[in-house]
């Protein structure tokens, strides 16, 4: 690696102590971008483009106080990281989880810059959330928390400023409570959040978009390799929004899904899930062990899905859920493709193993961009006061995922024809943002 790489990453480490996930995400991107800049755009070094892109434009942190069902006072911390607005309003989800901290949100906001750029839509990058734990809370507690959260956040966001959406722990219910409070405070019905219900400004296909988009991307990778998903065995981690719709689309493309999981354990169903079985998983309220009472299957407490033999692995739960050993196990078992529904699910060491084995690898910033892409389409529909049909949105989602795939191929193919999708996504996402930042001057 060059001396510029060493000085730059040392600077990031020094400026962001105690933020390992953020440092990991920045390094993952600049490992591809710095050699590209050194070859094609040396002037960006003096313009401190990388120093600027890795520094949030603004970080907002605030207290969220609310009353639980026993009228006890509860205090949480809320955040919004407004990372980069070169391409459009800050855009990215809100995560509610006790694991949330500034390092996690900054890594997610940083990834979001490149992901949003890859969609081709006019979207900047941002992320936010809270260390609030939605598990075990009543609907009323969730509502009071969301109202208190928005009572502070509303002054920092807007339909042309910053447009949050869902992520872990934030789905249509939470978006509804947040939207209701924003509307009350601003007296303004506007597209300030995406992931709204279809009857009050939401887009069809937004709930499905990340999981469906992931499979459209994988389908295209296989097509590029004269292969298809028919009959392929898939392991999926997670049992939330992304995992569920990834599994549904995988089934419809003729693949067999044999695992879903959560933070407690993994269901292994050798016969493969059906739509009915997946709906049953959804009804279990996180108690996955119950599944084996209705269907012949195994539940593995405390285990991840990566030990089960598969053709394709789709991590769809959380960051760093697939480590070096998991990657080695998957590859030894014949896995030919790892595609990320989650954000940064593979550790840096796992990625090294995967790239060395030259199996198909789709990084999250490309493969899970379908969610934010349909969020972008929701913003377009809100601006013109229209709602497009399911078929129209689905067709646009598919086209966007195929275009992202082709961008990755364009920037990631080497002279031997081998495609490094990670490199392709990093450079493909970067060039557009860099152009825009350069054009907009030193800001
Ligand atoms: P959900 O809250 O709907 O589901 C999250 C799932 O992941 C749950 O099954 C949860 O299990 C599991 N999970 C969370 N943390 C852990 C952990 N530490 N170990 C094991 N399992 C865990 O979230 P989403 O499906 O929306 O998000 C999943 C991933 O996809 C995240 O990385 C998110 O950033 C990413 N993503 C989401 C998009 C979206 O539009 N929603 C768009 C692009 C990416 P449990 O219930 O036990 O916590
Ligand atoms: O990680 C992501 O891309 C999301 N959680 C979706 C963001 C969005 O604005 O729809």
């Amino acid at each position: 690696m060059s001396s510029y790489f060493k000085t730059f990453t040392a600077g990031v480490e020094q400026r962001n102590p105690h933020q390992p996930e953020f440092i990991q995400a920045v390094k993952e991107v600049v490992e591809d971008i710095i050699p590209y800049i050194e070859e094609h755009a040396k002037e960006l070094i003096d313009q401190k483009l990388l120093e600027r892109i890795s520094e949030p434009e603004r970080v907002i942190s605030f207290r969220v106080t609310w009353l639980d069902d026993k009228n006890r006072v509860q205090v949480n911390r809320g955040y919004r990281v407004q990372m980069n607005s070169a391409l459009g309003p800050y855009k990215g989800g809100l995560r509610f989880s006790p694991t949330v901290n500034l390092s996690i949100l900054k890594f997610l906001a940083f990834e979001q810059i490149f992901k949003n750029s890859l969609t081709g839509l006019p979207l900047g990058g941002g992320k936010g959330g809270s260390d609030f734990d939605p598990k075990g809370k009543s609907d009323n507690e969730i509502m009071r928390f969301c109202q208190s959260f928005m009572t502070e956040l509303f002054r920092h966001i807007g339909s042309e400023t910053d447009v949050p959406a869902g992520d872990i722990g934030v789905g249509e219910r939470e978006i509804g409570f947040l939207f209701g409070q924003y509307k009350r405070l601003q007296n303004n019905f506007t597209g300030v959040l995406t992931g709204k219900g279809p009857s009050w400004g939401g887009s069809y296909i937004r709930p499905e978009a990340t999981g469906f988009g992931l499979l459209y991307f994988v389908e295209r990778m296989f097509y590029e390799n004269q292969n298809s998903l028919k009959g392929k065995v898939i392991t999926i981690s997670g049992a939330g929004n992304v995992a569920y719709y990834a599994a549904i689309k995988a089934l419809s493309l003729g693949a067999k899904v044999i695992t879903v999981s959560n933070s407690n354990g993994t269901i292994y169903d050798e016969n493969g899930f059906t739509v009915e079985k997946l709906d049953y998983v959804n009804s279990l309220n996180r108690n996955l062990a119950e599944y084996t009472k209705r269907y012949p299957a195994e539940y593995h407490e405390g285990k991840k899905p990566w030990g089960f033999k598969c053709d394709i692995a789709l991590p769809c739960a959380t960051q760093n859920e697939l480590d070096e050993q998991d990657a080695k196990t998957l590859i030894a078992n014949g896995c030919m493709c790892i595609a990320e529904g989650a954000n940064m699910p593979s550790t840096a060491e796992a990625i090294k193993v995967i790239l060395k084995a030259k199996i198909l690898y789709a990084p999250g910033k490309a493969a899970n961009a379908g969610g934010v892409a349909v969020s972008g389409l929701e913003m377009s529909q809100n601006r013109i006061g229209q709602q497009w049909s399911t078929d129209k949105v689905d067709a646009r989602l598919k086209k966007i995922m195929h275009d992202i795939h082709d961008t990755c191929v364009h920037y990631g193919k080497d002279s031997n024809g081998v495609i490094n999708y990670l490199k392709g996504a990093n450079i493909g996402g970067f060039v557009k943002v860099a152009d825009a930042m350069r054009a907009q001057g030193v800001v």
Side-chain angles (χ1 to χ4, degrees), residues 95 135 167-169 206 210 239-242 262-263 286 317 342-343:
R95 177 176 290 190
K135 283 176 196 160
D167 193 77
I168 290 178
R206 178 61 189 88
T210 313
N241 169 270
V242 179
N262 66 13
S263 48
R286 303 190 53 254
N343 286 306

Side-chain angles (χ1 to χ4, degrees), residues 163-200:
V163 183
D167 193 77
I168 290 178
V170 178
E172 189 180 325
R173 174 183 58 170
E174 291 73 20
I175 294 293
F177 295 147
L178 293 163
F179 182 76
Q181 184 71 353
Y182 182 88
K183 182 162 60 69
R184 175 158 71 165
L185 291 164
Q186 292 285 40
N187 193 25
N188 192 350
F189 192 113
T190 179
V192 68
L193 292 157
T194 59
K196 302 183 291 297
S199 63
W200 43 280

Side-chain angles (χ1 to χ4, degrees), residues 36-99:
Y36 177 84
I37 289 178
E38 287 177 328
E39 196 180 334
H40 300 280
K42 270 206 159 74
E43 67 282 5
L44 297 183
I45 298 176
D46 282 344
Q47 291 171 4
K48 298 252 161 81
L49 208 292
L50 292 188
E51 285 79 354
R52 286 193 272 153
I53 210 171
S54 58
E55 193 63 34
E57 289 179 14
R58 194 174 297 107
V59 176
I60 298 143
S61 165
F62 50 93
R63 187 177 71 204
V64 188
T65 316
W66 55 284
L67 288 177
D68 69 16
D69 285 345
K70 294 190 172 133
N71 271 331
R72 288 177 308 210
V73 176
Q74 301 287 342
V75 185
N76 287 100
R77 194 172 287 173
Y79 304 90
R80 187 71 183 165
V81 179
Q82 298 183 330
M83 197 78 197
N84 192 292
S85 61
L87 297 183
Y90 307 108
K91 183 80 194 91
L94 296 171
R95 177 176 290 190
F96 291 170
S97 157
T99 61

